[in-house]
Amino acid sequence: MIRTRFAPSPTGFLHIGGVRTALFSWAYARKNNGVFVLRIEDTDLERSTPESVKAILDGMQWVGLDHDEGPFYQTQRFDRYKDVIAQLLESGHAYHCYCSKEELEALRADQEARGEKPRYDRRWRPEAGKTLPTPPAGVTPVVRFRTPLEGVVAWDDAVKGRIEISNEELDDLIIARTDGSPTYNFCVVVDDWDMQITHVIRGDDHVNNTPRQINILKVLGAPLPVYGHLPMILNADGQKMSKRRDAVSVVDYAGQGILPEALLNYLARLGWGHGDDEFFDMAQFIEWFDLAAVSASASRFDHEKLLWLNARHMKAADPARLAGLLLPRLVAAGIDVAGGPDLSEVVTLLRERVQDINALAVEADYFYRRREPSAEEVAKHLPEGTRERMSRFAERLAALEVWSAEAIHDLFKPFCSDEGIKMGQLGMPLRVLVCGTSQTPSVDAVLALIGKDEVLRRLNEA
């Protein structure tokens, strides 16, 4: 059975790159009737926080990437890690190292001064015929993995193809700190082994970790998963996305009024494609998804394309659902919707004109309160004599027995004929006086939704 995992570290927000990694892992499991595991890699005790864990769980729930198993927490598996470390020490595949931080810093400085690549010199590594230093009193050692000195680590990456890294490039990595806590690269290996992960899909910043993890898996006699390293997501300038410059947190996009299905749709297209198909839902994505179709090249994040997709998804969404997303934004703006038109009907009328929920909230404003028109709007659309004409039109509106867009529309042509004006000379002033802006959908539909009493009140008070 195919088993994939998403394993974020809870040291901050849920990164947009992490969401794409989760999406591809989730889709691969769903495509193959497999299992998607959520694992929280919280061994960095200094930086991991409960708030970050909550941000990850909330973010995954918001985008709708449901997991089948988990969440598992590495901090709850320390006993298991210690058992495996003990096995490696006993088998000679790991050893204690008593180097102090100062010694390692001095070693690095000497190597850099000689133009060498900084690395641990294996001074505490047991070898045949080698005499080890006497362990210093009162020093608690770290545990290092005994990396093979020769040969290469090779794997057929599901995204990048064949990758080979010489063991000579690897040092003896620390697998347990002085306080006994296990390190990331070691915990990942034990977790993937215990959880029977068959496919490790992750960002290509982990490529250098992979040979270290493969070496540990081999000495444990554990099966090797298929690795697939996804290319980086760059910003529009071709730089790595950063919190300082870019929206990189899922929370950022939720706050911008982006729908989760639109974000997933867009992220799916970053580094993967299915012909010219741009707009699709997750069921379609699962059917189409193939790791072999993922590009090994970095992708650029195009916010305008995201907005375009978001607009498409808004048009396809249930208006009642959009109304539920719209309401708290209106409340936050101090808008009381009680007594006003049904929000779902407002959404249905407006969503063709906007690209996100925030813009929808701005547009919806005038359905619940009249905006004060700008000086430019007044000068352009309310020349002398216009208000008196609008008062005469208000009389015809007041006489309507049936208040509907059709009934209002039927008043336009005869009124314009009687006044000797064009439709624009009626429609634009109507919009400005009732809504405070000339930029609205069809004015008859707008007036019908706002309601007869409110429309007449606004016209009389304008």
Side-chain angles (χ1 to χ4, degrees):
M1 177 179 288
I2 299 296
R3 292 176 61 88
T4 66
R5 48 78 158 178
F6 177 50
S9 298
T11 55
F13 48 80
L14 180 57
H15 193 282
I16 199 71
V19 176
R20 186 189 62 168
T21 297
L23 171 63
F24 284 13
S25 299
W26 173 84
Y28 193 74
R30 294 287 175 267
K31 171 72 177 287
N32 294 283
N33 296 314
V35 174
F36 177 57
V37 177
L38 178 60
R39 188 170 76 218
I40 306 298
E41 299 189 337
D42 55 351
T43 55
D44 188 341
L45 301 179
E46 292 185 1
R47 298 175 60 213
S48 298
T49 66
E51 292 77 16
S52 294
V53 171
K54 186 177 186 303
I56 290 170
L57 298 180
D58 288 349
M60 290 290 285
Q61 183 178 24
W62 181 73
V63 293
L65 297 180
D66 55 317
H67 52 277
D68 304 301
E69 295 180 10
F72 299 109
Y73 297 87
Q74 289 183 329
T75 49
Q76 297 175 4
R77 290 173 44 80
F78 274 15
D79 288 344
R80 170 61 175 156
Y81 304 139
K82 290 178 181 179
D83 287 344
V84 178
I85 289 171
Q87 294 172 24
L88 292 176
L89 286 168
E90 185 176 354
S91 65
H93 288 106
Y95 61 93
H96 290 113
C97 170
Y98 293 85
C99 283
S100 67
K101 180 181 178 181
E102 292 73 22
E103 286 179 292
L104 293 176
E105 289 176 349
L107 173 63
R108 171 184 286 272
D110 289 343
Q111 290 171 331
E112 291 178 342
R114 294 193 298 268
E116 300 174 0
K117 180 180 178 179
R119 67 175 67 193
Y120 173 62
D121 62 2
R122 299 187 170 96
R123 64 183 64 179
W124 285 96
R125 176 176 171 136
E127 299 288 2
K130 177 180 179 180
T131 302
L132 295 176
T134 301
V139 175
T140 304
V142 299
V143 178
R144 289 185 181 270
F145 176 71
R146 190 184 178 109
T147 300
L149 299 178
E150 299 176 344
V152 298
V153 181
W155 73 95
D156 293 312
D157 197 276
V159 175
K160 293 180 172 294
R162 186 73 171 177
I163 298 178
E164 297 185 0
I165 297 178
S166 171
N167 279 318
E168 294 180 357
E169 296 297 315
L170 310 175
D171 59 6
D172 289 359
L173 76 155
I174 296 173
I175 59 176
R177 304 177 182 90
T178 56
D179 63 1
S181 61
T183 58
Y184 165 78
N185 274 302
F186 179 73
C187 295
V188 167
V189 167
V190 178
D191 289 342
D192 287 343
W193 179 24
D194 288 354
M195 298 174 189
Q196 300 178 306
I197 301 302
T198 62
H199 291 71
V200 174
I201 302 168
R202 58 189 180 186
D204 61 6
D205 53 327
H206 287 283
V207 167
N208 289 335
N209 292 327
T210 302
R212 296 175 169 86
Q213 295 170 13
I214 288 176
N215 277 333
I216 299 174
L217 284 166
K218 285 181 175 179
V219 302
L220 291 173
L224 299 183
V226 174
Y227 291 95
H229 291 89
L230 307 177
M232 187 178 296
I233 299 176
L234 307 176
N235 66 13
D237 297 325
Q239 299 175 312
K240 181 179 179 180
M241 294 185 75
S242 74
K243 185 176 182 180
R244 181 174 55 84
R245 294 188 307 266
D246 312 292
V248 295
S249 168
V250 164
V251 175
D252 293 333
Y253 293 95
Q256 290 173 14
I258 302 298
L259 297 178
E261 61 267 35
L263 183 61
L264 291 181
N265 184 172
Y266 181 70
L267 290 176
R269 294 287 289 117
L270 286 182
W272 172 88
H274 184 265
D276 295 328
D277 294 294
E278 295 278 0
F279 173 73
F280 46 83
D281 60 22
M282 287 301 99
Q284 189 67 74
F285 176 54
I286 290 169
E287 181 182 337
W288 290 338
F289 185 66
D290 185 355
L291 271 176
V294 177
S295 170
S297 302
S299 303
R300 293 199 182 195
F301 197 98
D302 183 346
H303 193 72
E304 291 303 314
K305 175 61 74 67
L306 172 61
L307 285 175
W308 176 80
L309 277 173
N310 198 60
R312 293 283 303 271
H313 281 281
M314 285 181 65
K315 292 172 187 175
D318 179 1
R321 177 185 163 221
L322 296 183
L325 297 173
L326 176 61
L327 179 58
R329 288 168 164 84
L330 294 178
V331 171
I335 300 172
D336 182 7
V337 301
D342 182 88
L343 264 180
S344 294
E345 295 184 40
V346 173
V347 165
T348 301
L349 184 60
L350 291 177
R351 62 177 169 178
E352 297 286 333
R353 304 170 56 85
V354 297
Q355 291 186 304
D356 60 71
I357 304 297
N358 291 349
L360 183 61
V362 173
E363 287 283 321
D365 178 296
Y366 56 76
F367 282 91
Y368 300 96
R369 63 184 181 186
R370 178 182 177 273
R371 296 177 185 172
E372 194 62 38
S374 67
E376 290 76 15
E377 293 270 35
V378 171
K380 184 176 182 180
H381 298 298
L382 298 177
E384 186 176 350
T386 302
R387 293 178 189 272
E388 291 77 8
R389 181 183 297 133
M390 292 303 101
S391 293
R392 293 192 291 275
F393 185 71
E395 293 174 0
R396 299 199 184 189
L397 288 173
L400 284 177
E401 294 183 2
V402 176
W403 186 261
S404 67
E406 293 78 9
I408 295 169
H409 182 81
D410 288 343
L411 295 178
F412 292 161
K413 189 173 182 179
F415 182 80
C416 289
S417 178
D418 291 347
E419 296 283 331
I421 58 174
K422 295 180 179 179
M423 181 56 205
Q425 292 172 283
L426 171 62
M428 288 303 186
L430 261 180
R431 289 181 169 95
V432 172
L433 289 176
V434 175
C435 304
T437 175
S438 61
Q439 302 301 310
T440 77
S442 178
V443 67
D444 50 8
V446 171
L447 297 184
L449 260 186
I450 291 175
K452 183 176 183 179
D453 291 344
E454 179 64 13
V455 167
L456 292 176
R457 184 187 69 79
R458 294 186 189 184
L459 286 173
N460 290 330
E461 293 180 359

